[in-house]
Amino acid sequence: MSSEPRPHPVPPSIEAPRRPARTLSRFAGVALVAGALVTGGGAAAVAAPGGAPADAAVSRITPGPCAYTETPEDPAARPVPLPPDPRRTPDRGSVRVTLRTNQGPIGLTLDREAAPCTVQSFLHLVRHRFYDRTSCHRLTAYPTLKVLQCGDPSGTGSGGPGYRYADELPTDLPPAPTDPTGVRRLYARGTLAMANAGPDTNGSQFFLVQGDSALRPNYTVFGSVDAAGLATLDRIAAGGIAPTVEDPAPVDGAPALPVDIRRAVRHHHPHH
């Protein structure tokens, strides 16, 4: 990591940590690779206990192509069953979901073709009201990373749905203009993507890109944020990040304007 150029303050990873939980205040100052967006507390979280043989003996796995896998070592922050996993995962068209927050609506368009297993899981969590009455626990304001992270009912950044599933990584993102190495890609303003704790550890946490961000293409893109949602994100970002004793002027932490998802609603009609 030390060999990488660091023209800007280096953002930590965007992670939804596996146990042990690492809160934002614990890793906000850690100099990790610029623009990693994961669901864990820094480099240690990448070693999430996903693939251990011992896991397979106790984990239930759905029989379809998405193979949603129970994570007994990382139990659900709020009880929810494993998602449906039919033999043919729906992979055409889009689905609209609105996050009704206390700061305003955030409309999402989910893209089944780009990430069918991710969309199927997200809609399952919406249907079971997993996201209702949850807070968006993290806001970043780095020059190359501007996102709001949500999806953890515990509000700590360490919670998930009690299962994981494989990445559906984007292959068509343009190079990030801010990265001379060409390694990072442009996660453009309005992108909706999954946070993770390393390869194939998707769960419930997701991030909304408020400003163009430079990231390694390690995060599943599964939709976009509408104009009203971007206006809501801009208001949240303008409020800044809540200061702490350790960091009176943070660029990464809890939003100063608390963001509560009161209800996540799926729209069953294309334009309503």
Side-chain angles (χ1 to χ4, degrees), residues 100-145:
R100 296 176 179 167
T101 85
N102 62 322
Q103 301 296 343
I106 300 176
L108 310 175
T109 300
L110 312 186
D111 184 346
R112 288 191 190 273
E113 185 177 358
C117 292
T118 301
V119 171
Q120 186 166 252
S121 171
F122 191 86
L123 292 175
H124 167 75
L125 294 174
V126 168
R127 183 165 58 252
H128 284 272
R129 305 188 72 166
F130 186 86
Y131 294 125
D132 295 3
R133 304 177 311 284
T134 63
S135 62
C136 295
H137 62 277
R138 186 181 186 193
L139 181 68
T140 67
Y142 293 92
T144 56
L145 183 63

Side-chain angles (χ1 to χ4, degrees), residues 60-62 66-69 83-85 117 120-121 163-165:
R60 289 192 303 130
I61 303 175
T62 58
C66 295
Y68 300 111
T69 303
D85 192 5
C117 292
Q120 186 166 252
S121 171
Y163 64 84
R164 58 177 166 80
Y165 59 95

Side-chain angles (χ1 to χ4, degrees), residues 5 12 14 39 47 82 84 123 126 154 166 187 202 225-227:
I14 295 195
T39 57
L82 288 173
L123 292 175
V126 168
S154 77
Y187 280 68
N202 299 288
V225 183
D226 70 4

Side-chain angles (χ1 to χ4, degrees), residues 61-219:
I61 303 175
T62 58
C66 295
Y68 300 111
T69 303
E70 223 173 27
T71 54
E73 77 286 350
D74 188 19
R78 177 178 287 174
V80 66
L82 288 173
D85 192 5
R87 183 175 300 175
R88 294 193 177 188
T89 311
D91 61 358
R92 300 285 177 85
S94 60
V95 184
R96 291 195 58 230
V97 169
T98 298
L99 306 178
R100 296 176 179 167
T101 85
N102 62 322
Q103 301 296 343
I106 300 176
L108 310 175
T109 300
L110 312 186
D111 184 346
R112 288 191 190 273
E113 185 177 358
C117 292
T118 301
V119 171
Q120 186 166 252
S121 171
F122 191 86
L123 292 175
H124 167 75
L125 294 174
V126 168
R127 183 165 58 252
H128 284 272
R129 305 188 72 166
F130 186 86
Y131 294 125
D132 295 3
R133 304 177 311 284
T134 63
S135 62
C136 295
H137 62 277
R138 186 181 186 193
L139 181 68
T140 67
Y142 293 92
T144 56
L145 183 63
K146 297 180 186 298
V147 305
L148 178 70
Q149 189 169 342
C150 314
D152 170 16
S154 77
T156 64
S158 65
Y163 64 84
R164 58 177 166 80
Y165 59 95
D167 297 322
E168 296 173 295
L169 299 179
T171 58
D172 57 352
L173 299 179
T178 56
D179 180 12
T181 70
V183 172
R184 292 175 185 81
R185 300 285 152 177
L186 177 66
Y187 280 68
R189 170 174 163 85
T191 298
L192 170 65
M194 290 299 294
N196 62 55
D200 301 325
T201 57
N202 299 288
S204 61
Q205 291 194 39
F206 58 93
F207 61 93
L208 309 157
V209 182
Q210 185 261 333
D212 287 358
S213 296
L215 296 165
R216 294 174 182 271
N218 298 340
Y219 310 96

